[in-house]
């Protein structure tokens, strides 16, 4: 498993999921693209969602035209998955 920092410009998470699955590196928690193996991984890591997180998002406000930039830490449930993987 690999921890990736990916920058996208369209805002479409499906794009990340589809392209990573295409190179045989599906997103943890992605049952659509991850197949049967992902269900086993999800169960063993106790994850109930896709391991995707928008750490930063930036956009132009539609009324003021000002650039809005928001940042967010990795949620605790995803931090827990990383911790579990490090212990393997």
């Amino acid at each position: 498993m690999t921890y990736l920092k990916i920058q996208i410009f369209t805002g479409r998470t499906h794009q990340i999921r589809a392209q990573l699955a295409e190179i045989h590196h599906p997103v943890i928690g992605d049952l659509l693209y991850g197949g049967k193996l992902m269900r086993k991984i999800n169960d063993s890591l106790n994850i109930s969602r896709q391991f995707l997180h928008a750490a930063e998002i930036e956009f132009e406000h539609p009324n003021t035209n000002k650039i809005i930039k928001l940042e967010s830490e990795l949620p605790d449930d995803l931090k827990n998955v990383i911790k579990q993987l490090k212990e393997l």
Side-chain angles (χ1 to χ4, degrees):
M1 294 181 199
T2 306
Y3 183 85
L4 301 173
K5 185 174 183 178
I6 299 172
Q7 183 176 4
I8 60 173
F9 299 97
T10 64
R12 300 191 182 271
T13 58
H14 176 79
Q15 177 184 34
I16 295 168
R17 295 168 55 211
Q19 291 179 5
L20 286 174
E22 181 68 26
I23 61 169
H24 307 289
H25 289 283
V27 173
I28 291 175
D30 190 346
L31 297 176
L32 178 63
Y33 290 104
K36 293 178 185 177
L37 176 61
M38 191 56 63
R39 189 170 308 280
K40 284 183 173 182
I41 292 170
N42 292 359
D43 289 345
S44 67
L45 294 174
N46 195 28
I47 187 169
S48 60
R49 67 181 183 104
Q50 297 165 12
F51 197 121
L52 288 174
H53 173 67
E56 295 179 6
I57 186 167
E58 186 174 308
F59 57 92
E60 185 176 318
H61 190 282
N63 294 329
T64 65
N65 296 326
K66 290 183 179 180
I67 298 298
I68 307 294
K69 183 176 180 179
L70 305 170
E71 296 180 19
S72 174
E73 279 190 34
L74 195 64
D76 289 340
D77 64 331
L78 299 184
K79 286 180 184 177
N80 186 46
V81 170
I82 291 173
K83 181 180 175 187
Q84 290 178 69
L85 291 172
K86 287 180 178 180
E87 293 172 354
L88 292 178

